[in-house]
Amino acid sequence: MVDSQYYLPNDIGISALDCREACRLLSPKEQMYAHYLSRASWYGGLIVLIQTSPESANIYVLLQKMFCAQAPQQLEAVATAAGLSAEEYQAFLVYAAGLYANMGNYKSFGDTKFIPNLPKFKALVWESLAFKQSPGDMETLWGYCCELLYSLEDKQKQLGLGEKGISAYFSGNCCLEDAEFAQKFLDSKNLSAYNTRLFKTEIDGKRCYEVRLASSEVCCGKYEFEDSVFSVKRGDYAFLMEKVCQNLEKAKDYAANENQKRMLEEYIRSFTCGSVEAHKEGSRYWIKDKGPIVESYIGFIESYRDPFGSRGEFEGFVAVVNKAMSARFAQLVSSAEVLLPELPWPLAFEKDRFLKPDFTSLDVLTFAGSGIPAGINIPNYDDIRQTEGFKNVSLGNVLAVAYATQKDKLTFLEENDKDLYIKWKGPSFEVQVGLHELLGHGSGKLFVQDDKGKYNFDQTAVRNPETGELISSWYKGSETWDSKFSTIASSYEECRAECVGLYLCLNKQVLSIFGHEGEDAEEVVYVNWLNMVRAGLLGLEFYTPESKSWRQAHMQARFVILRVLLEAGEGLVGLRECTGADGRPDAVITLDRSKIYTVGKSAIQRFLCKLQVHKSTADVEGGRALYEGYSAVTADGTHNFLHLRETVLLRKEARKMFVQANTYIKGDAVELVEYEGSAAGLIQSFVERFPDDAEEVEAQLLQMTCMDSSCWYPSEIIISNYYQG
């Protein structure tokens, strides 16, 4: 019997992102700018299919062909004729919606595979109009993906490197040692891994690596490195990169100012020739573009899903500023220079100068990628963040629907905490997101010695506050936070930012900025801390015992914080197992609000200082020992976390999916088309997303994925799959 965690439930939450009013307020020029940026984002977002798994693009094309021939409502009659029950057809729609929402068949939040919860998928394909119109093509397409569609072999259950899982950032024969060796090569050539993938072969007993850079131009260079040969090949996702560039070029005609034009020019240069340096230059102009009405960012951004932590997943977003909420964030930015000294590390460990960023609340029009976050702090380039600045955004219309909670589905809390939690979860999370993004990701200095030997700190004076000794390690040359801390970098940094949020939400000035005073302010603090420890327990869903690995950076971070607060003792946090009202295993987590400002604050203060010191000084060994120690999930000690994980899985709730609008040019105007918040609505939004060139896009996706399929699975298995299907 298949574990239910690999199915998406039929009653999964699906909500439409409301952006009509925000778009209505845009001028015609701003609407055109937003439209073409959205088109660039949607084309680029298809790259995530190729980045996620070898089969994702094939499944996407199969579904697109079925739904383009028959809308979900029309296909329902076909499903009935094929012998599917109403529940099975709903399971099919939910699977399809999940594939679109995650841009692949692995969950964007947790990285586990999900499979169709119906045995008659093939029967539905064969009965569909798409099959009757092109039986040969559909049969071949089914053959390419039918086995991998359902396969739950150990390695295919989750994303990972080597034997730990599947990763389309690396060919199937790569392991951690290959990733580390390739990083050494990239560092030697001063190349970033952000927009690359790595493929390994062996010729005459010699290791040969192909580093593919995303670009519309195609070219290749070869290099001898130690005992191996590296080919650096530009042109990965060339067709899609060209589509991105074409739409950015059109957007440029509607840019509001010179910074936006220069930004787009650099992005186009980056996506044309595969230059991360050009993208960094574009990001500099983006930072300078203060307070735009239409905000956007695009490229290979977040490295959460690269098992090595260095390669960025493509994403692009377009959003409209919410002026009322942005005013609060602007006030927080103005207070940052007063709040930063409150953080528990010496002044020398803080940036020399706080570069006040834009911090805006946005209503999302388009967010193309594998998922939509609640807030973002970008760019991720350390050298720019340290000396030139960054921007923070909170995604208001996402927050409005993503974190609404029903009392009967609220797990692991005492009854008297549930009403408080529901009332204050939204306001407290808004405070946490603001602090996390601005003063979490935006704080802390990295000690660096550049290529010319120049230090950005006084090596004769800066002391480690933990030992009292002069610091003895730092970043050298082209080393970055991601390249040094690699596999733990993302989660460690999220943990640091979450701790900053917990620590500074105790500050009355912060709470006042968000409009919380007196008793209300205390409720916000209590629910923020309660939400964090509950999230730490929920995080166990994203731990894989077989490989002893975590699949989600934020949830690992929250589990680590739970461990720190449990370790603080004195009754601050309580966690006990019990039997629920339904007779099944359950658990309850409690927080003593009277000890938050004493026991809790001291524990976070000590831990946060350690996190920052290891990060600032490039102390990988110390940082890894600290972080992996708290990340360990065992049956030992006071709490049997492995057993608690089973309880969490038993009672878990699926993450919501979002339906997004499309925009079209009608004459001289932009038309916004919205869809209902359902699986059928989400599917229809994708069916109508590429109206002019859907067949060409699908053909190119198949070409890209089939060309490399043997890098993960023997070609004879891929080709013969349909006979077994």
Side-chain angles (χ1 to χ4, degrees), residues 206-270:
K206 194 168 192 175
R207 287 184 303 173
C208 299
Y209 295 94
E210 183 176 281
V211 177
R212 294 190 190 170
L213 274 71
S215 67
S216 60
E217 290 181 350
V218 180
C219 61
C220 186
K222 278 195 173 183
Y223 307 88
E224 295 277 343
F225 184 74
E226 296 186 10
D227 60 346
S228 303
V229 175
F230 276 83
S231 298
V232 177
K233 183 178 179 182
R234 286 171 165 77
D236 210 6
Y237 329 114
F239 170 80
L240 295 174
M241 297 305 286
E242 177 61 26
K243 288 287 187 182
V244 172
C245 291
Q246 288 170 0
N247 282 281
L248 293 180
E249 192 67 51
K250 291 176 181 176
K252 206 170 71 174
D253 292 338
Y254 301 95
N257 54 56
E258 194 61 27
N259 280 323
Q260 287 184 359
K261 286 181 182 177
R262 297 293 297 275
M263 169 189 82
L264 293 175
E265 285 169 359
E266 293 297 337
Y267 289 166
I268 292 166
R269 185 164 72 91
S270 172

Side-chain angles (χ1 to χ4, degrees), residues 64-84:
Q64 283 289 86
K65 289 188 178 301
M66 291 177 71
F67 289 119
C68 284
Q70 290 169 292
Q73 293 79 2
Q74 297 170 315
L75 200 56
E76 187 170 9
V78 175
T80 303
L84 274 71

Side-chain angles (χ1 to χ4, degrees), residues 697-709:
V697 167
E698 290 163 14
Q700 288 288 334
L701 282 171
L702 290 178
Q703 182 179 327
M704 282 184 270
T705 196
C706 290
M707 177 180 70
D708 294 324
S709 59

Side-chain angles (χ1 to χ4, degrees), residues 16-19 22 286 293-297 301-302 304 315-323 325-326 329 358-378 391-404 426 429-438 514 554 655 658 660:
L17 285 183
D18 181 11
C19 62
W286 178 70
I293 301 300
V294 177
E295 184 62 281
S296 68
Y297 198 61
I301 312 300
E302 302 292 355
Y304 301 127
E315 70 179 44
F317 78 82
V318 185
V320 182
V321 171
N322 179 320
K323 291 182 179 179
M325 184 59 70
S326 296
F329 291 131
D358 255 14
F359 196 164
T360 49
S361 177
L362 306 175
D363 287 337
V364 172
L365 167 62
T366 295
F367 204 114
S370 66
I372 309 179
I376 318 169
N377 176 285
I378 37 183
K391 283 187 182 181
N392 295 276
V393 297
S394 174
L395 304 180
N397 58 343
V398 176
L399 282 168
V401 296
Y403 298 99
F429 195 68
E430 179 184 283
V431 173
Q432 179 68 12
V433 168
L435 294 171
H436 174 115
E437 300 297 347
L438 175 66
F514 284 89
H554 298 79
R655 194 169 175 84
F658 300 108
Q660 298 184 60

Side-chain angles (χ1 to χ4, degrees), residues 661-676:
N662 285 318
T663 56
Y664 305 97
I665 302 291
K666 298 288 185 182
D668 295 329
V670 174
E671 179 185 6
L672 180 77
V673 177
E674 295 180 294
Y675 304 86
E676 68 176 23

Side-chain angles (χ1 to χ4, degrees), residues 34-48:
H35 167 75
Y36 285 116
L37 288 175
S38 292
R39 301 309 302 152
S41 297
W42 287 126
Y43 280 112
L46 295 172
I47 289 169
V48 180

Side-chain angles (χ1 to χ4, degrees), residues 327-385:
R328 290 185 186 176
F329 291 131
Q331 198 176 344
L332 185 64
V333 171
S334 297
S335 304
E337 289 170 293
V338 176
L339 296 171
L340 281 170
E342 298 289 316
L343 292 171
W345 49 76
L347 189 61
F349 284 72
E350 191 46 69
K351 292 173 183 170
D352 301 332
R353 185 166 60 95
F354 180 70
L355 301 159
K356 288 187 177 180
D358 255 14
F359 196 164
T360 49
S361 177
L362 306 175
D363 287 337
V364 172
L365 167 62
T366 295
F367 204 114
S370 66
I372 309 179
I376 318 169
N377 176 285
I378 37 183
N380 287 330
Y381 305 120
D382 286 329
D383 50 344
I384 294 179
R385 295 165 62 84

